[in-house]
Amino acid sequence: MRLTYMDRATYRQKADAQVIERLRAEFGDFYLVPEGGSNALALRGCRELVDEISVDFDVICCPCGTGGTLAGIASGLRGPQHALGFSVLKGGSFLNDDVASLQVDALGTTTENWSIEQDFHFGGYAKRTDDLRDFMSDFERRHGIALEWIYVAKMMYGLFTLIDAGQFDDGAVIVAVITG
């Protein structure tokens, strides 16, 4: 692998043909890993994650930045199982369309067994508040696990909040995917 710097203005145009051609001219034939690794191949890999879980569950949760993990996990669910994503992006409602598009590209269709929580981004990507810091400290003290704060802590905070609010059926088995 060869990693190269791309300024912010160019990065915003990373999918434009001119940018890709400029990279091809510099590096020759290459494989461009999409942002977040989200593409049809990623969905296949994330789909396999479901089969590795050895307990029966009702809901599986994961953080969402680009939606690829959620799209793949949802494609591997069986029966009434539900995948719940937690957006780490302020204004991340576009992720609903992105997850659907990823599924159509990989599967030819969209599954109806997923949703995305939009209220636990703590100000946006790579942002955090005192409430999130306090939650992380308490979680580590109680469970001996330090949560990664850009993705995982936001998901766990959201999950605990929803549990406390009674958003899940009594006795529901919930799996939280720790992605980082």
Side-chain angles (χ1 to χ4, degrees):
M1 176 173 149
R2 183 165 172 201
L3 197 58
T4 187
Y5 173 76
M6 186 179 287
D7 63 67
R8 182 172 257 186
T10 305
Y11 183 75
R12 285 188 188 115
Q13 300 171 344
K14 63 189 171 289
D16 289 355
Q18 290 177 340
V19 172
I20 293 171
E21 281 308 310
R22 200 165 52 239
L23 291 170
R24 196 167 315 286
E26 183 176 348
F27 298 110
D29 193 26
F30 67 91
Y31 180 77
L32 180 63
V33 177
E35 184 172 24
S38 291
N39 63 15
L41 293 173
L43 265 64
R44 287 182 23 210
C46 291
R47 178 185 186 128
E48 293 173 4
L49 173 73
V50 175
D51 292 332
E52 295 179 16
I53 299 170
S54 60
V55 297
D56 289 331
F57 64 90
D58 303 296
V59 178
I60 185 168
C61 302
C62 67
C64 291
T66 59
T69 301
L70 178 63
I73 287 172
S75 72
L77 297 181
R78 296 171 295 281
Q81 293 175 322
H82 184 80
L84 179 59
F86 289 83
S87 175
V88 301
L89 308 172
K90 185 176 181 177
S93 60
F94 65 89
L95 286 170
N96 290 304
D97 291 337
D98 289 358
V99 170
S101 293
L102 285 164
Q103 285 191 329
V104 168
D105 289 347
L107 311 169
T109 189
T110 299
T111 64
E112 301 293 325
N113 58 355
W114 58 271
S115 59
I116 302 174
E117 284 290 330
Q118 301 289 337
D119 296 331
F120 302 101
H121 54 73
F122 292 89
Y125 183 78
K127 306 261 181 171
R128 57 184 163 177
T129 65
D130 289 340
D131 284 345
L132 185 61
R133 285 184 190 94
D134 292 346
F135 173 81
M136 291 168 57
S137 295
D138 183 61
F139 192 94
E140 184 171 8
R141 183 182 55 75
R142 288 176 189 239
H143 306 289
I145 299 170
L147 298 173
E148 176 277 325
W149 64 274
I150 295 175
Y151 292 95
V152 177
K154 293 175 180 184
M155 173 195 62
M156 293 301 286
Y157 183 102
L159 178 56
F160 277 53
T161 299
L162 295 178
I163 290 169
D164 288 345
Q167 295 294 314
F168 299 99
D169 293 337
D170 288 344
V173 176
I174 302 168
V175 172
V177 178
I178 306 300
T179 56

